[in-house]
């Protein structure tokens, strides 16, 4: 079976600053893959490379067996056109720390927007799916509320529903609960746990070690642009092998 995501020697620099220094990893279909590491280690950059918001400088990155951003012909790589990149990006849902909902649209309209605009879906079909998704994230009664009328945790759950509306094959979460008040974190993690149970392939950058341990199939500890240690979350989080991992975990656990 193809990996859903495969990184081979992925390098990324901003000018002279090397941010990713050869990332190798594989995410299997239906896997919940947690990415942990100190601030500045390159976690967000790596996620952004996966959906081609950033170009990599060296190495290979595949999503569902296809090169991200390039087409290979023989030994040569050809850059995809913007329209082709956009097409591939549709299959990848992304949820950020900040929810970025459209403030002038209700919850249900936020979720309907991309399927209608990008896929040309009818209003009726988009609305029916959006309402189902709101129910799935526990917000059936908030369909007609505007973002300003929702808590941060509720907004984040709408943002997750909005990403799901495009029926992605892969979901990327970049510290989805870091901006939330502590009492709102649980509901968002519960939605993510539900997605995992339904078999969604997920890469989750998080500082929630409880989530990583209970829901994660694997965990990767990244530091300074390299993978330091990876494996089963229960093993890596309770019995880290590297000093850097130990030091990081002692600060966040
Ligand atoms: N657009 C950019 N231009 C220049 N440097 C950047 C840019 N984005 C990120 N960086 C740098 O790359 C490093 C890794 O950042 P990031 O991927 O955001 O780390 P993390 O998500 O692990 O905190 C940081 O040193 C950051 O300053
Ligand atoms: Mg980050």
């Amino acid at each position: 079976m193809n990996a859903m995501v495969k990184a081979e020697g992925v390098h990324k620099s901003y000018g002279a600053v090397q941010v990713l220094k050869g990332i190798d990893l594989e995410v299997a279909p239906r896997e919940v893959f947690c990415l942990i590491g100190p601030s500045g280690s390159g976690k967000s950059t790596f996620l952004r490379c996966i959906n081609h918001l950033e170009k990599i400088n060296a190495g290979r990155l595949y999503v569902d067996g296809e090169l991200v951003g390039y087409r290979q012909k023989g030994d040569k790589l050809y850059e995809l056109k913007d329209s082709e990149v956009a097409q591939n990006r549709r299959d990848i849902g992304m949820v950020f720390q900040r929810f970025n909902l459209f403030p002038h649209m209700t919850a249900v309209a936020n979720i309907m927007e991309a399927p209608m605009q990008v896929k040309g879906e009818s209003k009726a079909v988009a609305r029916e799916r959006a309402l189902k998704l709101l129910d799935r994230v526990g917000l059936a009664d908030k369909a007609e509320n505007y973002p300003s009328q929702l808590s941060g945790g509720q907004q984040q759950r709408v943002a997750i529903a909005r990403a799901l509306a495009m029926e992605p094959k892969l979901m990327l979460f970049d510290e989805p609960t870091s901006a939330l008040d502590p009492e709102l974190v649980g509901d968002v993690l519960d939605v993510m746990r539900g997605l995992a149970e339904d078999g969604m392939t997920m890469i989750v950058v998080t500082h929630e070690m409880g989530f990583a341990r209970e829901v994660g199939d694997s965990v990767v500890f990244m530091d300074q642009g390299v993978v330091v240690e990876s494996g089963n979350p229960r093993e890596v989080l309770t019995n880290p092998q590297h000093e850097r991992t130990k030091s990081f975990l002692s600060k966040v656990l």
Side-chain angles (χ1 to χ4, degrees):
M1 191 166 33
N2 260 337
M4 182 58 81
V5 176
K6 186 172 185 181
E8 296 174 344
V10 168
H11 284 74
K12 172 71 190 171
S13 307
Y14 295 105
V17 184
Q18 269 206 51
V19 176
L20 302 178
K21 302 171 188 164
I23 302 289
D24 296 289
L25 56 79
E26 254 186 72
V27 180
R30 306 173 71 85
E31 184 169 3
V32 177
F33 189 95
C34 294
L35 200 51
I36 64 173
S39 178
S41 55
K43 306 179 299 295
S44 297
T45 301
F46 183 65
L47 288 191
R48 291 167 59 78
C49 291
I50 292 175
N51 64 0
H52 207 50
L53 293 168
E54 301 286 354
K55 257 185 210 153
I56 66 176
N57 302 109
R60 291 272 199 279
L61 194 48
Y62 301 87
V63 172
D64 203 13
E66 287 188 32
L67 266 181
V68 175
Y70 300 89
R71 179 182 299 108
Q72 189 160 6
K73 259 192 192 165
D75 294 344
K76 275 200 161 167
L77 289 186
Y78 298 89
E79 257 186 73
L80 297 182
K81 286 183 278 191
D82 287 350
S83 60
E84 295 171 308
V85 169
Q87 178 80 34
N88 289 344
R89 199 177 288 147
R90 284 183 197 183
D91 294 333
I92 303 176
M94 187 141 185
V95 175
F96 303 93
Q97 186 172 339
R98 295 266 160 214
F99 343 111
N100 305 317
L101 296 176
F102 303 117
H104 59 290
M105 288 184 186
T106 60
V108 68
N110 263 281
I111 301 169
M112 291 161 65
E113 182 69 7
M116 286 169 59
Q117 295 302 324
V118 180
K119 286 186 177 169
E121 214 167 72
S122 76
K123 201 168 172 180
V125 170
R127 184 173 170 88
E128 194 184 327
R129 187 195 305 96
L131 292 174
K132 273 192 198 139
L133 286 169
L134 276 171
D135 189 41
R136 184 166 170 190
V137 301
L139 295 172
D141 56 335
K142 303 289 184 196
E144 305 305 333
N145 285 54
Y146 288 89
S148 62
Q149 301 169 317
L150 300 172
S151 73
Q154 292 169 336
Q155 289 183 56
Q156 190 60 300
R157 285 184 279 154
V158 173
I160 293 171
R162 182 175 60 174
L164 293 174
M166 291 295 283
E167 304 183 318
K169 56 189 176 191
L170 169 67
M171 286 282 286
L172 309 176
F173 291 89
D174 195 353
E175 301 195 31
T177 59
S178 297
L180 300 178
D181 291 333
E183 73 271 23
L184 304 178
V185 167
D187 288 339
V188 173
L189 293 179
D190 283 346
V191 166
M192 294 167 61
R193 185 177 287 119
L195 271 183
E197 282 163 7
D198 291 344
M200 178 61 78
T201 310
M202 303 163 49
I203 303 183
V204 184
V205 175
T206 186
H207 297 297
E208 296 290 335
M209 296 304 144
F211 178 87
R213 190 163 36 228
E214 287 154 32
V215 184
D217 297 303
S218 23
V219 66
V220 160
F221 171 66
M222 239 172 100
D223 192 16
Q224 296 178 16
V226 297
V227 170
V228 174
E229 181 160 1
S230 63
N232 181 307
R234 262 150 293 222
E235 285 160 20
V236 174
L237 300 178
T238 49
N239 189 21
Q241 299 299 304
H242 292 260
E243 274 316 314
R244 281 198 272 175
T245 320
K246 285 179 196 166
S247 152
F248 173 75
L249 290 174
S250 73
K251 287 176 201 141
V252 295
L253 281 178

